[in-house]
């Protein structure tokens, strides 16, 4: 299934026909696609050793086909790494500049973020909810894509970071994942002002790749909205 067909004539192009053949393999065994994704990820990690024209071709294919495929299969970590590596080789100067800006922003606002998250941790513990609360930076590719789509400068981009609340012990409390997520959401809105109409419910209506979580935006202690994602440890495991 994984072997490319050799022919002198292609319906559209050699590259597109190979993609169609690969997608057709899913009817037989999805492991074929997983092997191709693993192979592509390895290629991207070692792309530096290839000639410039080869690097550009492989990086372009990765962004156009392999990263969306990984996303559709629910392989979020693979998708993110493929996107970042693709951008790094296609636009190295842009990538380096945005990466530096993100790191500087995170370092400058780390203390404020910790101060903002501490009351959340205390409220969760007080209500017997076992959860981790972290503030994670968005990927370089994610920021770059937002800048390109909306014609923004880095300073104009909102939500450089995302606060992730990952809870664990809902089964011990004999409630559903959804009910626990809503309990946490209620605790958050008791602590901080919520941005109107900011809730995105991916619990009842998951994304196409199966991703489930509850998103909202709350006012931060620096006068900027903080994006918060609430989900269970099992939801996180299934999306990676």
């Amino acid at each position: 299934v994984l072997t490319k067909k050799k022919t002198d004539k292609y319906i559209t192009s050699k590259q597109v026909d190979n993609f169609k053949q690969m997608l057709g393999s899913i009817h037989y065994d999805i492991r074929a696609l997983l092997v191709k994704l693993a192979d592509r990820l390895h290629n991207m990690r070692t792309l530096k050793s290839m000639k410039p024209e080869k690097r550009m071709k492989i990086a372009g294919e990765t962004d156009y086909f392999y990263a969306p495929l990984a996303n559709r299969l629910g392989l979020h970590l693979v998708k993110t790494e493929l996107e970042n590596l693709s951008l790094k080789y296609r636009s190295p100067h842009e990538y380096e500049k945005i990466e530096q800006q993100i790191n500087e922003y995170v370092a400058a606002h780390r203390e404020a973020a910790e101060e903002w998250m501490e009351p959340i941790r205390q409220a969760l513990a007080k209500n017997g909810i076992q959860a981790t609360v972290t503030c994670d930076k968005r990927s370089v590719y994610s920021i770059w894509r937002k800048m390109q789509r909306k014609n923004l400068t880095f300073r104009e981009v909102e939500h450089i970071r995302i606060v992730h609340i990952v809870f664990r012990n809902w089964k011990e409390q004999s409630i559903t994942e959804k009910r626990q997520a809503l309990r946490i959401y209620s605790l958050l809105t008791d602590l901080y002002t919520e941005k109107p109409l900011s809730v995105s419910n991916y619990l009842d209506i998951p994304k196409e790749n199966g991703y489930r979580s509850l998103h909202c935006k709350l006012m931060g202690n620096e006068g900027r909205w903080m994006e918060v994602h609430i989900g269970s440890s099992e939801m996180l495991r299934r999306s990676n």
Side-chain angles (χ1 to χ4, degrees):
V1 175
L2 293 175
T3 305
K4 296 177 181 178
K5 295 178 181 178
K6 292 183 179 180
T7 179
D8 295 328
K9 294 183 179 181
Y10 296 94
I11 297 174
T12 50
S13 70
K14 179 179 179 180
Q15 184 182 45
V16 172
D17 283 8
N18 285 335
F19 287 160
K20 287 181 177 179
Q21 180 192 349
M22 194 187 312
L23 289 175
S25 71
I26 196 171
H27 297 296
Y28 303 99
D29 194 340
I30 194 172
R31 289 176 295 182
L33 292 182
L34 297 178
V35 169
K36 292 298 291 186
L37 281 172
D39 182 56
R40 177 52 56 125
L41 184 58
H42 176 266
N43 287 343
M44 291 300 294
R45 287 173 174 173
T46 58
L47 205 56
K48 191 175 182 179
S49 61
M50 298 183 183
K51 294 180 179 180
E53 61 271 19
K54 187 72 171 178
R55 288 202 298 261
M56 291 296 289
K57 176 180 180 295
I58 293 176
E61 285 179 355
T62 299
D63 186 45
Y64 176 77
F65 181 78
Y66 288 93
L69 175 60
N71 182 58
R72 191 61 181 263
L73 293 175
L75 302 172
H76 176 72
L77 295 180
V78 174
K79 166 244 185 191
T80 299
E81 186 173 355
L82 288 175
E83 287 175 340
N84 279 335
L85 288 171
S86 174
L87 178 61
K88 186 175 184 177
Y89 286 107
R90 288 185 294 116
S91 304
H93 298 299
E94 270 191 285
Y95 182 94
E96 184 178 348
K97 181 179 179 181
I98 294 173
E99 183 178 43
Q100 181 180 351
Q101 289 175 313
I102 292 173
N103 290 336
E104 289 174 352
Y105 181 92
V106 169
H109 298 274
R110 181 176 289 113
E111 186 175 340
E114 284 297 324
E115 290 176 356
W116 189 82
M117 291 187 292
E118 188 54 32
I120 297 175
R121 296 188 181 110
Q122 293 177 11
L124 293 173
K126 184 178 179 180
N127 285 270
I129 299 173
Q130 296 176 7
T132 57
V133 184
T134 59
C135 189
D136 305 311
K137 59 187 177 184
R138 285 187 181 276
S139 71
V140 175
Y141 182 90
S142 175
I143 298 296
W144 171 83
R145 187 179 178 187
K146 187 170 289 189
M147 291 168 63
Q148 294 295 313
R149 280 184 168 182
K150 299 184 178 181
N151 194 27
L152 302 174
T153 65
F154 181 83
R155 290 179 177 273
E156 293 172 324
V157 176
E158 289 187 310
H159 315 305
I160 304 298
R161 306 156 301 172
I162 299 172
V163 174
H164 286 103
I165 301 177
V166 182
F167 58 88
R168 297 181 294 279
N169 64 328
W170 75 95
K171 293 180 182 178
E172 298 169 17
Q173 299 178 347
S174 300
I175 60 176
T176 63
E177 288 174 296
K178 177 181 177 180
R179 186 176 292 273
Q180 188 76 305
L182 292 174
R183 282 184 67 203
I184 294 172
Y185 167 73
S186 179
L187 291 173
L188 294 177
T189 53
D190 285 342
L191 289 170
Y192 299 114
T193 301
E194 178 188 3
K195 184 177 183 180
L197 305 177
S198 71
V199 174
S200 295
N201 180 6
Y202 298 115
L203 297 172
D204 294 324
I205 309 175
K207 292 186 178 182
E208 289 183 348
N209 60 5
Y211 172 83
R212 295 178 65 230
S213 185
L214 184 67
H215 296 187
C216 64
K217 296 180 178 67
L218 305 169
M219 178 53 66
N221 51 2
E222 296 179 299
R224 296 184 62 159
W225 297 109
M226 301 286 283
E227 183 169 339
V228 182
H229 296 181
I230 307 166
S232 72
S233 54
E234 287 195 11
M235 290 178 188
L236 182 65
R237 178 179 56 80
R238 289 193 293 265
S239 67
N240 289 335

